[in-house]
Amino acid sequence: IAFDTNDAVMACCTSPTNSTEAIAAMPSFEPIRTKMVAEGINQAAISAFESTFNALVSGESGMIPESTIDPATGVLTTDDITAKVDKAYLAQTVVCKLNGGLGTGMGLDKAKSLLEVKSGETFLDLTAKQVMKMREEFGMKVKFMLMNSFSTSDDTLAFFQKNYPTLAGEEGLEMLQNKVPKLDKETFEPAVCESDPSNEWCPPGHGDLYAALVGSGRLDSLLKDGFKYMFVSNSDNLGATLDTSILAHFAETDASFMMECCVRTENDKKGGHLCVRKADKQLILRESAMCPDEDEKAFQDITKHSYFNTNNLWIRLDKLKEIIDANNGIIPLPMIKNGKTVDPKDDSSQKVLQLETAMGAAIECFAGASAIVVPRTRFAPVKKCNDLLLLRSDAYIITDDYRIALNPECGGVAPAMNIDSKKYKMVDQLEAACVGGIPSLVSCKRLTIKGKVLLSSSCKFVGEVSITNSSDEAKTVPPTKLTDVTLDLTDSPGVGPLKSSTVTTSPIEGQKPGTSGLRKKTKVFMSENYLNNFVQSAFTAVSDCGTDLSVGTLIIGGDGRYFNDEAIQTIIKMGVANGVTRFWVGKDGLLSTPAVSAIIRERGPVWQKAFGAFILTASHNPGGPEEDFGIKYNCENGGPAPDKLTSMIFENTKTITSYTMATDFPSIDITTAGSTTVKSDDGYSEVTVEVIDSTKNHVDLLKTIFDFDSIKALLDREDFSFVYDSMHGVNGPYAKAVFVDELGQPESCCMNAVPKDDFNGGHADPNLTYAKELVAIMGLDKTGAKIDVGDKKVPSFGAAADGDGDRNMILGSQFFVTPSDSLAVIAANANSIPFFKAQGGLKGVARSMPTSGAVDLVSKDLGFDLFETPTGWKYFGNLMDSKDLYGGKDYTPFICGEESFGTGSNHVREKDGIWAVLAWLQILASKNSDASKPLVTVEDIVVDHWGKYGRNYYCRWDFEGMDKSGATAMMEKMRADTESNTGREIGTYTIATADDFTYVDPVDGSVAKKQGIRFLMSDGSRVIFRLSGTAGSGATVRMYIEQYEPKILDKEVSKALEELVKVALELCDIKTFCGTETPTVIT
């Protein structure tokens, strides 16, 4: 372990103070003890930290002069081992990986072990596979455990649960590292960070292994279960596997502690070395921070001090127990003192000390400790980007037992790496330089890079290669073989229009995506850096999840609302700067949300497949300069970003300090379909932007799902007429492509089919209130009641779409179909649709929690798998992908829907408005296959459905633009009262259960909490309250009312629900919290 002498000092915990006066003047440990006790830290950890603290205040330097030590000589090597492997030793051995590091020194803010190291595998992937291979090879379930920190535990356990559930389920997989307070640099009192109290704590270094073993009770339990030996190594050292010959040697020599060492090379001269203390002939470690300045030359003399610590340690657990018991519950270790700020991201915050210890230093505490020299194959850590580039290259390979090992073609010597530590200190800087791939290093002896360069997989370095670029612009290394060359790229052509510029920014509050992305007022998005911050945060999160932005295609399009075109140009320029090399943009900037999903899933060729998309939409919210704008990211499966990714994006928005943008990249003409390729000045790279037909892929997919001939026959009937209102949203071109171009209907059937950036001043929300033009044509009022139309002919079928084309409203002649009933009817008649019938029929159905239970009755009758999920299409997408992505049960073919006018199937991973319209027309066509018979209407189908299954009387009240604080307080009050409301009688109803809906995903095990307050009545009725996450400003309170009636089917909805509505208003007390009981919209 190397420590910079400028910011790290080590001192021996056991050194005495110089006088009783000094002891009396020492700062007190009591405030620290109080803080640790309050945090629930165990006594073993507190005692260990007190020992470290005492070393801090003692004033001892901790220096080890050269005159007090001798070189370690004659250290045994693995070639000298003669002990025979005995499986009995394996049964007594536990393998422990230290996994507490975040890799902050490399710019990471998650478990370092989740970093991709090679061939798409992370450190944890390879560790898990090593364990499984080890057990297979030894024919024994060798015990494995991790020591995680409070910073890495959640991510690590989630990773194992998702990818290696068998290991995740093993008892004792995790032992949690302790945490200790940061201390004020001057007073040594606990530091304070009011903005984020979590910053007041830090991990105590891997020397905490011993305190963690004691404080957790794990040491005693391991001894009780017969374990005698522990092999410990760092999670980023993938060469450190359980070697049975080394284990046998350790056991048969009866050593109490054994350190694996490697022979120092020029690259290792600044790191700590093994030596022998003259006073007692004890093996000890001397780190660079423990060496006096005058001894620096001797310290770095690799011919004198020949061995360094790999941090692969073998520990006799019974001997460890003896030492700890003899030292009042601790193992005395030298202290490491690091100067920091309490907020690591704020250099102006309180100056603090972080006290740590190193586990290898314990070698001096074990009588009879030994060391063994191991080959470099057992030491392949990643401490800096130098190491990461080397391991990712062909200089290293993954062995059959999943170790990272030096490629035999390297001749036993790894290339010496010296890449610019300022330009490539952070992982994202290295990955930006390697966006074209990792160069070949297998034949390289030494690689030196100074300045910003761009590498690629076509670069092959042979011998000693030195590359310099003194200019501010990154220059491309020629994609060819370079042998023993010194290359100066300073005056070479650059990337020109592809040049990435870094723009300084700062976090902007409130960029947390809702269930369907981020939505705010258009002027907010147009403000300085607002869109840029979010887009950069998304690119960073997507890249951190393992997506290579340089491979495949990024899709961009939207619903055409105001600011759409400008935002597209911004995203293209930022995408280029972040490594994207191919874009598909919808013609005129238009792409419906379901069409984007279809393009991701269907458009090829394979090498151009989309890895994701930015969709510019605020869905059904109004558009225009004074109204709403929105953005969402969809993933490679075509569905919305899952919770994990949106959380990562949000976290990034809170810490962002800069974004990258190719400011010189030309603006793209998106009004004409075609391809534009922009090349770099040096000719080595290019970016292609293809403006594509917005409708083709989606329409082609729909033609494989439905029988267009039978639907056309229905539409051509003289007694059938229909109208489809696109409400001046993006759906217009799709409606024309399907109904005019494919089905031969007159353009007059497509209402408001020209997209406008303000939806013609309307509210493109397909419900009875906002689709008032269509509703009147269909002979209804805004409550769904029939109106007097005189002798005017009402169309047989009507439908409406929202701004981005993913929602639908279905109407018959003077008849409104609720979204919940629409879902149930489609599910009950799914075999009318070729897509389902050809696959053996529907298998699974899902609805959002607020959606009525009408489809539940169908599922029970027909034996479908049924799921109740939170609001948000991403939850349906998980169920659809259960088999393909997660290896679980196949629930497809699959239909799902939400009460908010969203319906769809597994043909895409979004709700699909035009799909729902075609589904209804397909059902109508199947019911009207004999044109000589009277027309079976929409109303006939729904009433027949009620006759079989009963009717779920249902409505939703939307209170839009409510004061957010008042609405939130109302929800919190109901949440707090759930227990007292359960069992309460109110009106003629009894509340059987009051709760806050929590969803445990059956596919990936993720948990979604606070998804809506539910009042479930004893008679099956329901009252539900949610705050919508889709409003651009203010808060929208949604109140859902449902009552099931098996026999009385013809009540007016408002009358059927009148009493339950009064109960709901009393339960929420919205008049008090929000000042009104009058909804904006009733559906």
Side-chain angles (χ1 to χ4, degrees):
I1 312 166
F3 298 94
D4 189 331
T5 55
N6 292 321
D7 66 5
V9 175
M10 301 185 70
C12 179
C13 293
T14 55
S15 299
T17 53
N18 294 326
S19 68
T20 55
E21 289 79 6
I23 295 174
M26 284 184 184
S28 172
F29 185 73
E30 289 313 306
I32 301 169
R33 187 192 313 280
T34 300
K35 185 180 181 77
M36 295 180 77
V37 169
E39 190 69 12
I41 307 297
N42 64 68
Q43 184 55 48
I46 295 174
S47 297
F49 192 59
E50 183 174 13
S51 176
T52 308
F53 177 82
N54 289 339
L56 171 69
V57 301
S58 71
E60 289 293 327
S61 68
M63 293 295 176
I64 302 178
E66 186 71 17
S67 60
T68 66
I69 60 173
D70 288 322
T73 59
V75 181
L76 197 72
T77 72
T78 49
D79 292 337
D80 301 322
I81 290 177
T82 59
K84 294 182 179 179
V85 175
D86 187 338
K87 278 195 173 184
Y89 298 141
L90 287 171
Q92 298 174 288
T93 302
V94 56
V95 176
C96 179
K97 281 285 186 180
L98 305 183
N99 188 51
L102 287 179
T104 51
M106 297 172 69
L108 303 176
D109 58 3
K110 61 181 180 181
K112 182 180 177 183
S113 53
L114 290 173
L115 179 66
E116 181 184 332
V117 62
K118 196 171 187 69
S119 305
E121 305 272 24
T122 67
F123 287 104
L124 285 183
D125 278 310
L126 292 172
T127 296
K129 291 178 179 180
Q130 285 178 359
V131 172
M132 293 186 291
K133 182 69 174 180
M134 173 179 68
R135 291 175 174 179
E136 176 188 336
E137 180 183 344
F138 298 153
M140 181 181 297
K141 188 177 177 181
V142 179
K143 187 168 180 60
F144 171 69
M145 60 184 284
L146 293 161
M147 185 170 83
N148 294 327
S149 70
F150 60 92
S151 300
T152 64
S153 177
D154 289 347
D155 283 346
T156 299
L157 294 182
F159 173 87
F160 272 91
Q161 186 64 51
K162 178 180 179 180
N163 299 289
Y164 305 96
T166 301
L167 287 176
E170 291 184 4
E171 184 179 356
L173 172 67
E174 179 185 64
M175 178 176 70
L176 202 59
Q177 185 181 25
N178 294 299
K179 58 182 180 179
V180 297
K182 298 175 184 177
L183 305 181
D184 182 274
K185 188 175 183 180
E186 301 299 328
T187 67
F188 299 164
E189 292 185 352
V192 176
C193 184
E194 293 182 356
S195 61
D196 185 356
S198 67
N199 281 331
E200 298 171 6
W201 300 87
C202 63
H206 45 60
D208 183 59
L209 169 70
Y210 309 109
L213 281 167
V214 176
S216 66
R218 192 64 61 86
L219 178 58
D220 287 338
S221 66
L222 287 171
L223 289 169
K224 181 181 178 182
D225 291 340
F227 290 98
K228 187 175 182 180
Y229 311 107
M230 175 176 279
F231 174 58
V232 192
S233 61
N234 293 335
S235 62
D236 68 348
N237 182 8
L238 293 169
T241 55
L242 181 61
D243 185 301
T244 53
S245 61
I246 297 178
L247 169 61
H249 170 75
F250 179 57
E252 294 188 12
T253 57
D254 201 33
S256 57
F257 183 101
M258 186 169 71
M259 175 183 291
E260 292 188 19
C261 300
C262 281
V263 176
R264 293 171 93 197
T265 66
E266 193 69 17
N267 288 339
D268 311 309
K269 68 181 182 181
K270 293 184 179 181
H273 64 77
L274 188 66
C275 56
V276 178
R277 190 163 51 208
K278 287 182 176 180
D280 58 3
K281 306 303 180 185
Q282 176 67 40
L283 278 174
I284 63 172
L285 276 180
R286 181 170 68 160
E287 302 290 355
S288 60
M290 305 166 76
C291 177
D293 292 343
E294 61 270 21
D295 292 333
E296 189 68 23
K297 183 177 180 181
F299 179 89
Q300 294 189 17
D301 185 348
I302 62 175
T303 63
K304 180 177 185 181
H305 296 293
S306 303
Y307 309 114
F308 72 91
N309 172 29
T310 64
N311 232 30
N312 303 343
L313 305 179
W314 298 82
I315 303 168
R316 272 277 296 272
L317 296 177
D318 53 342
K319 299 296 185 182
L320 174 62
K321 173 72 170 172
E322 290 175 8
I323 294 171
I324 288 173
D325 287 346
N327 285 275
N328 298 317
I330 67 167
I331 185 165
L333 296 173
M335 173 196 67
I336 304 170
K337 180 176 68 175
N338 291 298
K340 305 281 186 178
T341 55
V342 68
D343 184 346
K345 295 172 182 174
D346 182 2
D347 290 340
S348 65
S349 63
Q350 182 184 14
K351 301 293 189 256
V352 299
L353 297 176
Q354 294 183 191
L355 305 187
E356 302 176 6
T357 57
M359 67 176 183
I363 191 170
E364 66 182 73
C365 301
F366 284 83
S370 65
I372 186 168
V373 179
V374 298
R376 279 272 175 165
T377 54
R378 291 187 61 76
F379 184 68
V382 173
K383 302 300 181 186
K384 298 179 180 180
C385 287
N386 261 334
D387 307 321
L388 185 60
L389 177 59
L390 186 58
L391 258 64
R392 285 180 172 177
S393 79
D394 55 1
Y396 277 83
I397 60 173
I398 299 177
T399 64
D400 291 341
D401 56 355
Y402 300 102
R403 288 180 296 108
I404 291 286
L406 189 65
N407 192 323
E409 294 182 27
C410 289
V413 180
M417 303 291 290
N418 183 20
I419 65 173
D420 197 315
S421 60
K422 293 183 179 179
K423 298 294 189 291
Y424 308 105
K425 180 179 181 181
M426 306 301 180
V427 171
D428 59 351
Q429 294 172 319
L430 177 66
E431 292 184 338
C434 297
V435 71
I438 304 297
S440 171
L441 296 174
V442 69
S443 300
C444 185
K445 291 183 178 178
R446 180 182 297 274
L447 175 63
T448 302
I449 297 176
K450 297 294 182 184
K452 296 169 68 175
V453 300
L454 298 173
L455 303 167
S456 72
S457 56
S458 298
C459 297
K460 181 178 176 63
F461 300 137
V462 179
E464 297 194 5
V465 177
S466 178
I467 303 169
T468 301
N469 174 26
S470 300
S471 70
D472 293 334
E473 179 183 357
K475 299 295 179 67
T476 303
V477 177
T480 187
K481 181 178 179 179
L482 298 173
T483 305
D484 291 322
V485 65
T486 297
L487 191 64
D488 190 339
L489 300 175
T490 304
D491 297 324
S492 300
V495 293
L498 306 187
K499 179 182 177 182
S500 171
S501 299
T502 300
V503 181
T504 300
T505 187
S506 56
I508 300 173
E509 287 188 11
Q511 291 197 316
K512 183 175 183 178
T515 55
S516 297
L518 178 66
R519 298 180 189 175
K520 298 289 181 183
K521 288 298 182 184
T522 304
K523 287 186 175 179
V524 173
F525 269 97
M526 295 175 70
S527 63
E528 185 179 14
N529 292 340
Y530 194 90
L531 175 66
N532 308 74
N533 278 19
F534 186 83
V535 171
Q536 183 61 62
S537 297
F539 276 133
T540 301
V542 171
S543 180
D544 286 347
C545 286
T547 297
D548 186 344
L549 301 182
S550 68
V551 177
T553 304
L554 177 68
I555 299 171
I556 311 174
D559 58 18
R561 66 182 58 232
Y562 191 86
F563 188 55
N564 188 68
D565 293 357
E566 184 179 341
I568 288 173
Q569 301 294 341
T570 296
I571 296 171
I572 291 173
K573 292 173 187 284
M574 292 187 68
V576 171
N578 279 275
V580 181
T581 59
R582 178 174 294 276
F583 299 84
W584 289 333
V585 180
K587 182 179 176 296
D588 298 316
L590 300 177
L591 284 174
S592 76
T593 293
V596 169
S597 187
I599 293 168
I600 292 175
R601 297 177 65 81
E602 301 293 329
R603 186 179 174 90
V606 172
W607 63 273
Q608 292 182 6
K609 290 288 286 185
F611 62 79
F614 282 107
I615 308 177
L616 305 174
T617 178
S619 190
H620 54 287
N621 291 15
E626 303 299 325
E627 297 297 346
D628 296 342
F629 190 81
I631 183 170
K632 60 182 288 192
Y633 185 82
N634 277 37
C635 296
E636 66 277 3
N637 72 335
D643 286 341
K644 180 181 178 181
L645 181 56
T646 56
S647 294
M648 291 175 65
I649 294 172
F650 180 48
E651 290 303 314
N652 289 343
T653 68
K654 295 192 293 185
T655 58
I656 189 170
T657 57
S658 64
Y659 59 84
T660 56
M661 192 165 184
T663 53
D664 295 332
F665 194 84
S667 294
I668 301 297
D669 178 8
I670 60 175
T671 63
T672 304
S675 184
T676 301
T677 297
V678 180
K679 295 189 176 183
S680 62
D681 289 351
D682 58 22
Y684 293 133
S685 55
E686 63 183 35
V687 171
T688 299
V689 182
E690 185 177 355
V691 179
I692 63 174
D693 185 317
S694 299
T695 64
K696 183 178 184 337
N697 290 102
H698 192 204
V699 173
D700 286 350
L701 177 60
L702 293 171
K703 288 166 65 178
T704 69
I705 295 169
F706 300 103
D707 180 355
F708 271 39
D709 290 339
S710 66
I711 292 175
K712 178 173 170 49
L714 170 72
L715 299 178
D716 289 344
R717 283 180 60 144
E718 291 186 3
D719 58 352
F720 188 88
S721 57
F722 86 104
V723 63
Y724 192 5
D725 186 357
S726 292
M727 301 185 76
H728 290 295
V730 74
N731 192 67
Y734 297 87
K736 286 183 179 179
V738 170
F739 292 103
V740 178
D741 298 342
E742 295 291 340
L743 294 172
Q745 302 305 300
E747 285 198 28
S748 58
C749 71
C750 297
M751 287 175 56
N752 302 318
V754 178
K756 296 190 176 181
D757 66 4
D758 66 347
F759 307 126
N760 205 37
H763 191 155
D765 194 351
N767 59 44
L768 294 169
T769 298
Y770 292 121
K772 52 190 175 184
E773 184 181 359
L774 172 68
V775 171
I777 289 172
M778 297 305 295
L780 299 169
D781 64 16
K782 67 177 183 179
T783 70
K786 295 179 181 181
I787 60 174
D788 184 2
V789 297
D791 57 359
K792 183 179 178 181
K793 186 177 180 181
V794 176
S796 311
F797 183 83
D802 68 336
D804 67 328
D806 65 349
R807 301 183 188 223
N808 72 93
M809 178 172 65
I810 303 298
L811 302 167
S813 180
Q814 294 196 290
F815 188 83
F816 167 63
V817 183
T818 70
S820 297
D821 280 341
S822 177
L823 173 64
V825 169
I826 294 173
N829 293 275
N831 273 350
S832 300
I833 301 170
F835 178 80
F836 298 111
K837 186 175 182 179
Q839 297 181 73
L842 190 63
K843 290 182 182 176
V845 175
R847 62 169 175 83
S848 64
M849 181 271 289
T851 303
S852 93
V855 76
D856 301 25
L857 302 169
V858 176
S859 298
K860 183 178 180 180
D861 178 46
L862 299 179
F864 303 147
D865 286 312
L866 173 69
F867 302 92
E868 180 183 37
T869 75
T871 298
W873 213 259
K874 55 194 171 187
Y875 300 105
F876 297 148
N878 248 19
L879 293 164
M880 296 177 195
D881 290 327
S882 174
K883 180 181 178 182
D884 291 343
L885 296 186
Y886 298 95
K889 182 176 179 179
D890 187 2
Y891 298 114
T892 61
F894 191 85
I895 286 177
C896 44
E898 299 177 336
E899 47 69 37
S900 53
F901 296 89
T903 326
S905 83
N906 60 290
H907 69 292
V908 291
R909 295 299 182 267
E910 288 279 5
K911 44 186 173 280
D912 190 345
I914 201 167
W915 175 92
V917 172
L918 288 168
W920 265 95
L921 290 172
Q922 189 77 79
I923 293 168
L924 282 164
S926 71
K927 301 288 186 183
N928 291 282
S929 57
D930 188 344
S932 65
K933 293 183 179 180
L935 184 71
V936 177
T937 67
V938 170
E939 183 175 0
D940 292 335
I941 292 172
V942 175
V943 171
D944 283 350
H945 181 90
W946 291 341
K948 180 175 182 179
Y949 292 107
R951 183 175 182 182
N952 293 73
Y953 287 96
Y954 181 89
C955 73
R956 186 182 93 187
W957 286 25
D958 287 1
F959 298 86
E960 297 177 347
M962 298 294 100
D963 175 71
K964 193 167 186 178
S965 61
T968 301
M970 182 189 75
M971 294 294 291
E972 289 300 327
K973 178 68 166 59
M974 287 190 287
R975 186 171 285 118
D977 291 345
T978 53
E979 186 175 346
S980 60
N981 274 324
T982 297
R984 175 183 171 188
E985 293 184 1
I986 181 168
T988 61
Y989 295 91
T990 299
I991 302 173
T993 302
D995 66 10
D996 192 354
F997 182 58
T998 294
Y999 177 69
V1000 179
D1001 195 305
V1003 176
D1004 65 10
S1006 60
V1007 178
K1009 299 180 179 180
K1010 294 187 176 181
Q1011 296 299 309
I1013 307 298
R1014 303 190 302 176
F1015 298 94
L1016 309 180
M1017 308 301 176
S1018 58
D1019 68 347
S1021 303
R1022 299 192 306 162
V1023 174
I1024 295 165
F1025 294 90
R1026 288 183 61 250
L1027 282 185
S1028 172
T1030 59
S1033 61
T1036 296
V1037 177
R1038 301 200 196 281
M1039 181 176 83
Y1040 309 85
I1041 311 295
E1042 177 184 5
Q1043 183 158 318
Y1044 176 66
E1045 176 53 64
K1047 294 182 179 179
I1048 304 175
L1049 308 177
D1050 56 355
K1051 278 187 178 182
E1052 186 179 327
V1053 174
S1054 60
K1055 294 294 183 183
L1057 298 177
E1058 186 173 17
E1059 184 181 357
L1060 195 53
V1061 166
K1062 290 179 181 178
V1063 167
L1065 293 173
E1066 181 179 343
L1067 286 168
C1068 69
D1069 196 15
I1070 194 170
K1071 183 73 177 287
T1072 298
F1073 286 97
C1074 299
T1076 185
E1077 287 186 346
T1078 304
T1080 313
V1081 179
I1082 298 179
T1083 302

